Amino acid sequence: MSAIEHLLKPHVRDIGDFSVRRVLPSAAAQTVGPFIFFDHMGPVELAPGKGMDVRPHPHIGLATVTYLFEGEIVHRDSVGSEQTIRPGDVNWMTAGSGIVHSERSPQAARDAGPRLHGIQTWVALPREHETVAPSFFHHPADTLPRLVHGGARITVIAGDAFGARSPVQVFSRTLYAALELDAGASLVIPPEHEQRGLYLVDGAAAIDGIALPAEHLAVLTPGAEATVTALEPSRLMLLGGEPVDGRRHIFWNFVASSREAIEEAARRWENDEFPHVPGETERIPLPPRRL
């Protein structure tokens, strides 16, 4: 039996001055564990004066998770948070009943010409937590568990992995870890989580001898142990956990277990009923609805 159940290829999305590769959601798998959205941005180096400028926009029913390899992003949101995230840190924003946020390059990086490389994911909240109060938590890199298994170094970003647990508060059992493997190093991925996926950020790697193309997500077969081997120095993301409790509806930046919740969120945004981000005057308009 193959250790790979699905191999998800990326779809390129243009977000302004640079593009991202998106592997979730996909036709083969809407979610892997609670992860319903997975974007790989960069690596990119912008010209001086340019930068990341994601204007204020809303979310419901999910948590956003940002993890950087390179660069800096200033996060601002409607609960009053203002936080610069740097490589190895974790920004976890719970949207719940509704939050608005922006993401921009800091001025110093913008002046020099910012570099940016990282992963942005959304975690679908369980139905009982879909409308929790919005919140934001920042976790510096030095607060996350770091493990060494031979030539593999593991950072546990959220949830539990390899016997370690992240301080990030999650709403269901979650697996999210950054892996760095030396050339020739192998790491056994145990079947301790019901759903698991491996994404190759860069380098060259194989799963049980089957090549994993760069920037693809391999959804692993439930219950099967898998061994990932680096053919050269490589970085991967390991994600998954407990399956989502039912299919989710997605429209724009909204995730919900019912179409009615999505429609209501869209109406609220159109009518400017979401809270505002202090210090921000711009907003992204609602796109045409196709539910």
Side-chain angles (χ1 to χ4, degrees):
M1 180 177 65
S2 172
I4 300 176
E5 183 176 45
H6 301 293
L7 184 61
L8 308 183
K9 66 178 182 179
H11 298 279
V12 178
R13 296 288 186 269
D14 186 350
I15 61 170
D17 287 320
F18 59 94
S19 298
V20 300
R21 273 85 65 214
R22 184 166 300 164
V23 292
L24 286 176
S26 76
Q30 185 189 44
T31 56
V32 178
F35 292 88
I36 196 166
F37 177 96
F38 186 106
D39 265 7
H40 178 191
M41 54 183 178
V44 63
E45 183 173 1
L46 302 177
K50 294 283 189 178
M52 182 179 191
D53 280 302
V54 180
R55 295 169 292 160
H57 58 281
H59 291 285
I60 65 164
L62 56 86
T64 66
V65 191
T66 303
Y67 187 83
L68 297 180
F69 305 115
E70 189 174 9
E72 298 178 339
I73 298 173
V74 178
H75 164 97
R76 297 184 181 91
D77 64 40
S78 55
V79 299
S81 312
E82 181 170 342
Q83 177 67 55
T84 300
I85 184 173
R86 297 180 175 87
D89 297 345
V90 174
N91 273 6
W92 180 287
M93 183 186 77
T94 300
S97 60
I99 199 169
V100 180
H101 76 129
S102 66
E103 295 171 296
R104 301 184 186 271
S105 296
Q107 191 60 51
R110 192 183 300 270
D111 292 343
R115 294 183 59 86
L116 193 63
H117 189 199
I119 305 292
Q120 291 193 308
T121 59
W122 295 353
V123 172
L125 299 178
R127 288 177 178 169
E128 65 176 315
H129 298 297
E130 275 188 303
T131 58
V132 297
S135 61
F136 174 83
F137 293 97
H138 174 78
H139 298 269
D142 60 8
T143 66
L144 303 178
R146 297 182 184 276
L147 311 171
V148 177
H149 285 242
R153 293 166 298 284
I154 303 161
T155 300
V156 183
I157 298 170
D160 65 282
F162 303 98
R165 182 175 298 276
S166 165
V168 176
Q169 180 184 353
V170 295
F171 292 87
S172 62
R173 193 174 182 205
T174 301
L175 167 67
Y176 196 27
L179 313 179
E180 295 182 23
L181 273 67
D182 296 334
S186 293
L187 181 66
V188 175
I189 311 299
E192 58 185 349
H193 291 269
E194 186 172 346
Q195 295 185 344
R196 300 159 296 155
L198 273 171
Y199 179 84
L200 181 57
V201 176
D202 50 35
I207 299 173
D208 287 358
I210 301 172
L212 174 59
E215 301 170 356
H216 282 58
L217 176 65
V219 180
L220 303 182
T221 302
E225 187 176 273
T227 300
V228 58
T229 301
L231 309 179
E232 60 185 58
S234 302
R235 284 189 289 197
L236 302 99
M237 304 301 285
L238 174 62
L239 64 149
E242 180 182 348
V244 176
D245 54 351
R247 190 166 181 84
R248 290 299 189 267
H249 300 279
I250 306 174
F251 167 66
W252 192 35
N253 302 305
F254 304 136
V255 170
S257 57
S258 73
R259 291 180 183 272
E260 291 76 16
I262 298 253
E263 286 285 1
E264 174 62 12
R267 184 199 64 77
R268 288 168 56 201
W269 185 247
E270 282 187 308
N271 294 333
D272 198 17
E273 295 176 8
F274 273 82
H276 292 184
V277 178
E280 294 271 12
T281 58
E282 299 179 290
R283 70 199 301 267
I284 299 177
L286 185 80
R289 272 172 272 184
R290 290 189 295 271
L291 293 180

